[in-house]
Amino acid sequence: ALHDFFTGKNVEFPEFSSVCADFVELPSQLNETWRYYPEVLANIAIHHETGEPLPAALQQKVADATKYAWAQETSAAITVMYLASCKLDHAWHILKVDDIPSPDDVEDFERKALERAGFAGIFPSFNSRYFLHIWSHEDYATRYYSYIYCKVLDADAQAWFLSNGGLTRANGEHFRSKVLEKGSSRPELELFRDFVGHDPDVNPLLQRIGLV
C-alpha cells in the first residue's frame, strides 16, 4: 500500500508500484518493528480516559516480552520453524504430477522433505493441511521465503535508522524518496543500496533474533 501511495499509482506506468516478492514486504515489516519502541508506544499506548502514555516501566516489560512472543522478528526458534515451512513450500512445488502424495501419505512426505532439507524433527510453522499462503494465493506459492528475505532488508533498514538519529522526519523522507516513491522503476536492490549505502547485510537480523 505504501508503494501505491507514494508512487502516486502512476496511471501511465502502474507497474511502478508493483515491486518483486523479495521486496514487497519491506515497508510493512519495517513499520512493524517500531511498535515497541518508547517513542512510538508513547504515541499509541495512551490511557483512554486520562490521555497519559504507558508508564516507562510497563513499556520496558512489553519490550522484554517480545523476546518470547510468537513472532519471527524476535525469536530464533520461531525463525527456524518458519524456515522449515519455506522448505516445505518448495518441496511441494517442485513435485511432478505423478509424484504428488495421496492424502494418507502427506505426513510421510512432509517428514522426508524436512529431513532432506536439514530440518529433521523441526515442526514447521504451517504444515501442508493449513498452509494457506501457498495454496490459496498464487503470489506466495513457492515464495513463502520472501518474508525472511524482507526481514533481512527491514532489519538492515532499521539499523540504518538507528545509526542515523532514529525516527526523525528527515530519515523518513530519505526512506520515502529512496525506496517508497521509486516503486519498481529501478531494480529493487539498487534502491535499497541507495537507501542504506551498502548491499543487504544479514547481521542486523541475526542480532535481532539473538544468534550473534
Side-chain angles (χ1 to χ4, degrees):
L2 290 177
H3 283 119
D4 285 345
F5 290 147
F6 293 127
T7 58
K9 197 65 178 178
N10 190 307
V11 175
E12 185 177 0
F13 301 104
E15 68 276 8
F16 279 5
S17 62
S18 300
V19 298
C20 68
D22 294 357
F23 200 71
V24 69
E25 298 287 348
L26 169 60
S28 61
Q29 291 185 174
L30 178 59
N31 283 338
E32 288 171 6
T33 65
W34 299 117
R35 65 191 183 278
Y36 298 122
Y37 276 70
E39 55 266 49
V40 175
L41 275 176
N43 283 286
I44 63 174
I46 298 173
H47 195 280
H48 72 287
E49 292 179 340
T50 66
E52 291 295 315
L54 194 69
L58 190 52
Q59 287 185 27
Q60 187 59 51
K61 287 184 177 180
V62 170
D64 290 342
T66 65
K67 299 173 184 176
Y68 309 99
W70 186 263
Q72 70 191 51
E73 68 253 27
T74 55
S75 168
I78 301 305
T79 299
V80 171
M81 294 169 68
Y82 160 81
L83 292 173
S85 295
C86 294
K87 292 297 186 180
L88 195 56
D89 173 21
H90 288 164
W92 277 109
H93 285 94
I94 62 174
L95 282 176
K96 296 179 180 179
V97 173
D98 292 340
D99 295 331
I100 296 175
S102 68
D104 291 337
D105 294 328
V106 167
E107 289 187 7
D108 188 54
F109 169 79
E110 288 184 348
R111 179 182 57 79
K112 291 178 179 178
L114 292 174
E115 287 177 354
R116 287 195 301 271
F119 286 85
I122 301 296
F123 186 80
S125 302
F126 298 97
N127 69 31
S128 303
R129 291 182 172 85
Y130 59 92
F131 203 168
L132 294 183
H133 271 81
I134 66 170
W135 302 130
S136 64
H137 201 303
E138 64 181 12
D139 289 341
Y140 284 98
T142 74
R143 299 187 184 96
Y144 192 58
Y145 75 88
S146 64
Y147 285 101
I148 198 68
Y149 196 93
C150 289
K151 281 294 177 191
V152 173
L153 301 181
D154 90 56
D156 202 6
Q158 184 182 53
W160 180 91
F161 271 91
L162 294 176
S163 64
N164 285 276
L167 293 172
T168 66
R169 178 70 182 219
N171 285 345
E173 291 291 351
H174 179 68
F175 182 56
R176 173 176 173 169
S177 65
K178 295 295 184 180
V179 175
L180 299 177
E181 287 183 353
K182 303 300 184 183
S184 58
S185 59
R186 290 170 52 202
E188 286 84 345
L189 279 182
E190 287 185 12
L191 300 178
F192 190 80
R193 291 187 195 102
D194 284 351
F195 169 54
V196 298
H198 57 252
D199 287 336
D201 182 2
V202 72
N203 283 296
L205 177 61
L206 296 179
Q207 292 168 6
R208 179 190 288 174
I209 63 177
L211 291 182
V212 295

